[in-house]
Amino acid sequence: MSETSEFDRLLTQLPLWLETSRKRAAEGKVASYIPELSKMPQSALGIAVLDANGRTASAGDCGIPFTMQSISKVFTLILALMDNGEAAVFDKVGMEPTGDNFNSMLKLELVRPGIPFNPLINAGAIAVSSLIAGADSEEKSSRILSFFRKLAGNPSLELDEDVYRSEAATANLNRSMAYLLKDNGVLEGGVDEVLDVYFRHCSIKVACADIARMALVLAFDGADPLTGESLIPRRYVQIAKTFMITCGMYNASGEFAIQVGLPAKSGVSGGILTLVPGRYGIGVVGPALNRKGNSIAGVHLMETLSREFDWSMF
Ligand code: GLU
């Protein structure tokens, strides 16, 4: 199918496919372990698909704001790689899927050296937060926000202060994990400071169009096709996309690779950032999650699109 006819079909069909997928939301559950997240609407589903000419096909509730949560981990990893290089980052965090929950600290005690298995589980992302350059948590957080604004082409990205405070007040598990990491010699700096950087980047508020634009930069190997600006070295995009394929969708990453076949990262707020290499950046939001923690309606919609347009990379 030619690029134009595919995009035309996307424009006309997307709202119909979205409404079919939206029905799945009733079977999911909105995350509540961060209390503020439970306010997200159960039946919401939105998507934005952005191409290299700046055309957008969007449908449903694509305008609702949501926090990036684990989606942010892809980009803090990239920033940490840009700040430190590969050797220093992978000295503190591994490259393997775990098979454990995103917030598990099981293997930090069982496996030596006690470094996290990968940068997309919480322990790994907390280790990565400590590698971001900056004199203190404020400077690190502001460098992360500036980087995300640049990638999203949106200078007004901000934190959702309520979600940030809600997570900071309830994150007992992440706190204990960070102390264990500190004891294992993985974290640079004070535990509270590192956690503050982590909670803040998880709380950056976006809409589907923002993460579609960030994904488009990854789809074009680090160069923003809309401005021609090179934002990320190609090697680091390659690393990030490989983690997205192998561990981006929690313990359903294998299933997503088989059913959809695209690099993706989801978050507990119901967001999914995904991309079709060399073609589209895609942002999805659907707060009702399946048992593996991914947006139940969002995954269904991506399965439909991948099948209809034969988008799988495999
Ligand atoms: N901030 C969340 C946490 O640490 C992110 C989890 C996620 O989206 O997977 O629990």
Side-chain angles (χ1 to χ4, degrees), residues 33-34 68-71 73 102-103 120 122 126 167 174 198-199 202 250 265-269:
Y33 77 100
I34 297 174
M68 291 181 77
Q69 299 301 336
S70 272
I71 295 171
K73 297 170 179 175
F102 70 100
N103 56 5
L120 298 187
N122 286 10
I126 291 169
E167 175 162 14
N174 281 336
Y198 174 78
F199 298 146
C202 286
Y250 306 112
K265 180 73 201 93
S266 61
V268 286
S269 53

Side-chain angles (χ1 to χ4, degrees), residues 33-222:
Y33 77 100
I34 297 174
E36 194 65 24
L37 290 182
S38 65
K39 297 183 179 162
M40 293 286 288
Q42 164 100 21
S43 62
L45 181 63
I47 185 168
V49 181
L50 175 64
D51 79 1
N53 300 313
R55 291 183 304 181
T56 303
S58 55
D61 309 299
C62 56
I64 62 164
F66 58 99
T67 51
M68 291 181 77
Q69 299 301 336
S70 272
I71 295 171
S72 62
K73 297 170 179 175
V74 173
F75 300 97
T76 49
L77 168 67
I78 289 171
L79 188 57
L81 286 164
M82 290 166 73
D83 283 347
N84 303 274
E86 273 178 63
V89 169
F90 293 115
D91 192 38
K92 302 285 187 195
V93 58
M95 299 183 180
E96 302 301 337
T98 64
D100 299 328
N101 284 340
F102 70 100
N103 56 5
S104 172
M105 50 180 168
L106 204 65
K107 297 206 169 96
L108 292 177
E109 275 218 84
L110 287 180
V111 181
R112 290 287 138 204
I115 67 169
F117 264 49
N118 70 65
L120 298 187
I121 52 170
N122 286 10
I126 291 169
V128 167
S129 295
S130 91
L131 290 168
I132 302 295
D136 50 25
S137 68
E138 215 161 292
E139 191 185 342
K140 288 170 197 256
S141 297
S142 100
R143 286 189 66 243
I144 294 172
L145 187 58
S146 306
F147 185 53
F148 285 27
R149 285 175 173 167
K150 184 97 191 157
L151 292 167
N154 181 355
S156 39
L157 287 191
E158 286 294 350
L159 293 203
D160 184 321
E161 295 286 342
D162 294 334
V163 172
Y164 161 68
R165 275 193 293 270
S166 183
E167 175 162 14
T170 55
N172 297 322
L173 198 53
N174 281 336
R175 264 178 219 289
S176 49
M177 202 178 313
Y179 278 104
L180 191 51
L181 288 171
K182 181 75 191 170
D183 208 57
N184 285 2
V186 175
L187 293 192
E188 308 286 337
V191 169
D192 286 336
E193 278 214 345
V194 174
L195 283 170
D196 196 55
V197 175
Y198 174 78
F199 298 146
R200 284 179 187 275
H201 71 67
C202 286
S203 304
I204 293 174
K205 191 166 50 177
V206 290
C208 286
D210 296 312
I211 57 169
R213 180 79 185 266
M214 296 174 93
L216 190 70
V217 176
L218 301 184
F220 283 82
D221 291 332

